[in-house]
Amino acid sequence: NVRPDDGFFYCFGCKATGDVVEFLVRTTGRGFLDIITELAGQTGVEIPKGQVDPEEEARQKEKKRLLRALELAQVFFKTRLSSEAGQGARAYLADVRKIDDDTIDRFGIGWGGAADDGLVTFLKEQGIPVDDGVAAGVLGRSERGPYDFFRHRVTVPIRGTRGEIVSFQGRIFGERATDAQGKKRPKYVNGPQTGVYDKSGVLFGLFEAQPALKQGKPAVLVEGPLDAIAVHRAGLPSSVAPCGTGLTMRHVEELRRRTERVVVCMDADAAGKDAAARAILMMLSAGLDVGLAALPDKDPDAMVAAGRADELRGILLGAPAALDELLNRARKSATGGVRARVAALDELLPVLAAPPRELVRAE
């Protein structure tokens, strides 16, 4: 029950109560200072500032310029997707990926357009210098001049924890998946490291997942943005993914600050299993409760596209503890003699040593 006139809310379910700031902190998962700063900006209240270091002031000005370029790039990508020229991209999303319009809107999915310099021209028209577009990671430079970094690709914005767009991932599709010589182009491209985007610290989907994590839902770690979107569509809006890099301890720390349990759900191939093993080790060492989901299909996106969203949700919700699952797998592989048992133990030792609590290790 929200009482705007009295300035407070009350939840009859969990008995939580508080003012507008507490309401936004609880429903968005963001920090107190972030909320206060944003509300002050919306209402024209000036927050007193101490003496600003000139270098820091220059960094803040650059950050604003880059965020503006990214914001406008998103406008361009969304407009291109809804244009007549974007019909092929819309068909790819609907027919191949089985992504509906609601999901496209919710996650801001767009299309980079078919021209090499469509975004270059658009940003210039909006008064954004080419240098800012390159520094923001949405334009590239070659000997022939600036070009659109995400041309011919479906785009997915990557947001910071305050909802600001800090980068994009692009997915190639259709006839553009191969070049004129018949060579396959990279399936995915990720925006580069910039002044506003640090790949080692930003997780795709964390902004969207914060309300569910705040309510005690476990995080679901997957390999990429489209898998994270698929898990959201399956009814678990707490899915996250690294972009263009492996999982880092900074990613793990971002999760640890927001939840106690993470379900690891990587692709079913060999690379996915290796990535899952590394993620489990890192999360156990951070003291997290880790579940391990074994998929019967290639990845979450493939399962949802095949109409198996309910099955995926059941697998994730019923994921066994990662330690138990790895122990069971080791028991099965430790057959046929001493060498097999030693190999199984060698594989397990780092995992058994990872949990910080001695009692867990002993058990």
PDB file of all heavy atoms in Angstrom, residues 248-261:
ATOM      1  N   THR A 248      34.698 -12.941 -13.604  1.00  0.00           N
ATOM      2  CA  THR A 248      35.805 -12.451 -12.775  1.00  0.00           C
ATOM      3  C   THR A 248      35.355 -12.384 -11.313  1.00  0.00           C
ATOM      4  O   THR A 248      34.161 -12.448 -11.010  1.00  0.00           O
ATOM      5  CB  THR A 248      36.239 -11.041 -13.209  1.00  0.00           C
ATOM      6  OG1 THR A 248      35.190 -10.108 -12.880  1.00  0.00           O
ATOM      7  CG2 THR A 248      36.516 -10.976 -14.704  1.00  0.00           C
ATOM      8  N   MET A 249      36.319 -12.210 -10.419  1.00  0.00           N
ATOM      9  CA  MET A 249      35.978 -12.069  -9.004  1.00  0.00           C
ATOM     10  C   MET A 249      35.194 -10.784  -8.749  1.00  0.00           C
ATOM     11  O   MET A 249      34.413 -10.709  -7.806  1.00  0.00           O
ATOM     12  CB  MET A 249      37.242 -12.102  -8.137  1.00  0.00           C
ATOM     13  CG  MET A 249      37.814 -13.500  -7.947  1.00  0.00           C
ATOM     14  SD  MET A 249      36.617 -14.749  -7.364  1.00  0.00           S
ATOM     15  CE  MET A 249      36.133 -14.115  -5.752  1.00  0.00           C
ATOM     16  N   ARG A 250      35.368  -9.776  -9.594  1.00  0.00           N
ATOM     17  CA  ARG A 250      34.553  -8.564  -9.453  1.00  0.00           C
ATOM     18  C   ARG A 250      33.097  -8.860  -9.776  1.00  0.00           C
ATOM     19  O   ARG A 250      32.185  -8.357  -9.117  1.00  0.00           O
ATOM     20  CB  ARG A 250      35.087  -7.453 -10.358  1.00  0.00           C
ATOM     21  CG  ARG A 250      36.369  -6.810  -9.836  1.00  0.00           C
ATOM     22  CD  ARG A 250      36.820  -5.692 -10.729  1.00  0.00           C
ATOM     23  NE  ARG A 250      35.827  -4.628 -10.803  1.00  0.00           N
ATOM     24  CZ  ARG A 250      35.803  -3.699 -11.765  1.00  0.00           C
ATOM     25  NH1 ARG A 250      36.712  -3.725 -12.727  1.00  0.00           N
ATOM     26  NH2 ARG A 250      34.887  -2.763 -11.767  1.00  0.00           N
ATOM     27  N   HIS A 251      32.849  -9.677 -10.811  1.00  0.00           N
ATOM     28  CA  HIS A 251      31.476 -10.107 -11.109  1.00  0.00           C
ATOM     29  C   HIS A 251      30.889 -10.854  -9.909  1.00  0.00           C
ATOM     30  O   HIS A 251      29.737 -10.624  -9.516  1.00  0.00           O
ATOM     31  CB  HIS A 251      31.461 -11.047 -12.328  1.00  0.00           C
ATOM     32  CG  HIS A 251      31.810 -10.381 -13.614  1.00  0.00           C
ATOM     33  ND1 HIS A 251      32.556 -11.009 -14.594  1.00  0.00           N
ATOM     34  CD2 HIS A 251      31.518  -9.155 -14.104  1.00  0.00           C
ATOM     35  CE1 HIS A 251      32.699 -10.201 -15.622  1.00  0.00           C
ATOM     36  NE2 HIS A 251      32.073  -9.066 -15.354  1.00  0.00           N
ATOM     37  N   VAL A 252      31.693 -11.761  -9.363  1.00  0.00           N
ATOM     38  CA  VAL A 252      31.231 -12.568  -8.227  1.00  0.00           C
ATOM     39  C   VAL A 252      30.891 -11.667  -7.040  1.00  0.00           C
ATOM     40  O   VAL A 252      29.880 -11.860  -6.365  1.00  0.00           O
ATOM     41  CB  VAL A 252      32.302 -13.614  -7.832  1.00  0.00           C
ATOM     42  CG1 VAL A 252      31.915 -14.336  -6.538  1.00  0.00           C
ATOM     43  CG2 VAL A 252      32.495 -14.630  -8.959  1.00  0.00           C
ATOM     44  N   GLU A 253      31.722 -10.653  -6.811  1.00  0.00           N
ATOM     45  CA  GLU A 253      31.478  -9.729  -5.700  1.00  0.00           C
ATOM     46  C   GLU A 253      30.179  -8.944  -5.909  1.00  0.00           C
ATOM     47  O   GLU A 253      29.421  -8.703  -4.960  1.00  0.00           O
ATOM     48  CB  GLU A 253      32.666  -8.769  -5.549  1.00  0.00           C
ATOM     49  CG  GLU A 253      32.548  -7.780  -4.396  1.00  0.00           C
ATOM     50  CD  GLU A 253      32.359  -8.437  -3.035  1.00  0.00           C
ATOM     51  OE1 GLU A 253      32.789  -9.590  -2.846  1.00  0.00           O
ATOM     52  OE2 GLU A 253      31.736  -7.795  -2.169  1.00  0.00           O
ATOM     53  N   GLU A 254      29.901  -8.553  -7.152  1.00  0.00           N
ATOM     54  CA  GLU A 254      28.644  -7.851  -7.453  1.00  0.00           C
ATOM     55  C   GLU A 254      27.444  -8.740  -7.089  1.00  0.00           C
ATOM     56  O   GLU A 254      26.440  -8.251  -6.556  1.00  0.00           O
ATOM     57  CB  GLU A 254      28.582  -7.491  -8.946  1.00  0.00           C
ATOM     58  CG  GLU A 254      29.490  -6.356  -9.360  1.00  0.00           C
ATOM     59  CD  GLU A 254      29.009  -4.997  -8.854  1.00  0.00           C
ATOM     60  OE1 GLU A 254      27.832  -4.854  -8.495  1.00  0.00           O
ATOM     61  OE2 GLU A 254      29.844  -4.070  -8.790  1.00  0.00           O
ATOM     62  N   LEU A 255      27.572 -10.026  -7.380  1.00  0.00           N
ATOM     63  CA  LEU A 255      26.486 -10.953  -7.039  1.00  0.00           C
ATOM     64  C   LEU A 255      26.409 -11.177  -5.524  1.00  0.00           C
ATOM     65  O   LEU A 255      25.319 -11.193  -4.944  1.00  0.00           O
ATOM     66  CB  LEU A 255      26.688 -12.290  -7.758  1.00  0.00           C
ATOM     67  CG  LEU A 255      26.496 -12.257  -9.277  1.00  0.00           C
ATOM     68  CD1 LEU A 255      26.909 -13.589  -9.902  1.00  0.00           C
ATOM     69  CD2 LEU A 255      25.034 -11.950  -9.632  1.00  0.00           C
ATOM     70  N   ARG A 256      27.556 -11.336  -4.895  1.00  0.00           N
ATOM     71  CA  ARG A 256      27.579 -11.622  -3.455  1.00  0.00           C
ATOM     72  C   ARG A 256      26.946 -10.500  -2.644  1.00  0.00           C
ATOM     73  O   ARG A 256      26.341 -10.741  -1.604  1.00  0.00           O
ATOM     74  CB  ARG A 256      29.022 -11.857  -2.997  1.00  0.00           C
ATOM     75  CG  ARG A 256      29.148 -12.517  -1.624  1.00  0.00           C
ATOM     76  CD  ARG A 256      30.597 -12.537  -1.163  1.00  0.00           C
ATOM     77  NE  ARG A 256      31.104 -11.204  -0.946  1.00  0.00           N
ATOM     78  CZ  ARG A 256      30.848 -10.468   0.125  1.00  0.00           C
ATOM     79  NH1 ARG A 256      30.081 -10.935   1.095  1.00  0.00           N
ATOM     80  NH2 ARG A 256      31.354  -9.256   0.249  1.00  0.00           N
ATOM     81  N   ARG A 257      27.074  -9.277  -3.141  1.00  0.00           N
ATOM     82  CA  ARG A 257      26.483  -8.139  -2.442  1.00  0.00           C
ATOM     83  C   ARG A 257      24.951  -8.149  -2.519  1.00  0.00           C
ATOM     84  O   ARG A 257      24.284  -7.471  -1.753  1.00  0.00           O
ATOM     85  CB  ARG A 257      26.993  -6.825  -3.054  1.00  0.00           C
ATOM     86  CG  ARG A 257      28.424  -6.494  -2.651  1.00  0.00           C
ATOM     87  CD  ARG A 257      28.988  -5.358  -3.479  1.00  0.00           C
ATOM     88  NE  ARG A 257      28.073  -4.210  -3.521  1.00  0.00           N
ATOM     89  CZ  ARG A 257      28.079  -3.296  -4.469  1.00  0.00           C
ATOM     90  NH1 ARG A 257      28.923  -3.396  -5.471  1.00  0.00           N
ATOM     91  NH2 ARG A 257      27.246  -2.279  -4.413  1.00  0.00           N
ATOM     92  N   ARG A 258      24.407  -8.932  -3.460  1.00  0.00           N
ATOM     93  CA  ARG A 258      22.969  -8.879  -3.701  1.00  0.00           C
ATOM     94  C   ARG A 258      22.228 -10.180  -3.418  1.00  0.00           C
ATOM     95  O   ARG A 258      21.006 -10.205  -3.375  1.00  0.00           O
ATOM     96  CB  ARG A 258      22.706  -8.468  -5.159  1.00  0.00           C
ATOM     97  CG  ARG A 258      23.137  -7.046  -5.462  1.00  0.00           C
ATOM     98  CD  ARG A 258      23.116  -6.765  -6.957  1.00  0.00           C
ATOM     99  NE  ARG A 258      23.365  -5.349  -7.237  1.00  0.00           N
ATOM    100  CZ  ARG A 258      24.572  -4.796  -7.313  1.00  0.00           C
ATOM    101  NH1 ARG A 258      25.649  -5.560  -7.137  1.00  0.00           N
ATOM    102  NH2 ARG A 258      24.705  -3.516  -7.570  1.00  0.00           N
ATOM    103  N   THR A 259      22.957 -11.282  -3.288  1.00  0.00           N
ATOM    104  CA  THR A 259      22.276 -12.568  -3.089  1.00  0.00           C
ATOM    105  C   THR A 259      23.207 -13.548  -2.379  1.00  0.00           C
ATOM    106  O   THR A 259      24.424 -13.354  -2.352  1.00  0.00           O
ATOM    107  CB  THR A 259      21.836 -13.173  -4.440  1.00  0.00           C
ATOM    108  OG1 THR A 259      21.078 -14.362  -4.210  1.00  0.00           O
ATOM    109  CG2 THR A 259      23.033 -13.521  -5.315  1.00  0.00           C
ATOM    110  N   GLU A 260      22.616 -14.592  -1.822  1.00  0.00           N
ATOM    111  CA  GLU A 260      23.419 -15.642  -1.183  1.00  0.00           C
ATOM    112  C   GLU A 260      23.522 -16.885  -2.049  1.00  0.00           C
ATOM    113  O   GLU A 260      24.367 -17.737  -1.812  1.00  0.00           O
ATOM    114  CB  GLU A 260      22.785 -16.022   0.171  1.00  0.00           C
ATOM    115  CG  GLU A 260      22.831 -14.893   1.192  1.00  0.00           C
ATOM    116  CD  GLU A 260      22.157 -15.293   2.495  1.00  0.00           C
ATOM    117  OE1 GLU A 260      21.564 -16.397   2.543  1.00  0.00           O
ATOM    118  OE2 GLU A 260      22.235 -14.514   3.463  1.00  0.00           O
ATOM    119  N   ARG A 261      22.635 -16.999  -3.051  1.00  0.00           N
ATOM    120  CA  ARG A 261      22.607 -18.217  -3.866  1.00  0.00           C
ATOM    121  C   ARG A 261      22.667 -17.875  -5.354  1.00  0.00           C
ATOM    122  O   ARG A 261      21.972 -16.977  -5.837  1.00  0.00           O
ATOM    123  CB  ARG A 261      21.340 -19.026  -3.585  1.00  0.00           C
ATOM    124  CG  ARG A 261      21.231 -20.307  -4.438  1.00  0.00           C
ATOM    125  CD  ARG A 261      20.112 -21.208  -3.962  1.00  0.00           C
ATOM    126  NE  ARG A 261      19.811 -22.284  -4.901  1.00  0.00           N
ATOM    127  CZ  ARG A 261      20.517 -23.386  -5.046  1.00  0.00           C
ATOM    128  NH1 ARG A 261      21.594 -23.581  -4.294  1.00  0.00           N
ATOM    129  NH2 ARG A 261      20.169 -24.319  -5.914  1.00  0.00           N
TER     130      ARG A 261
END
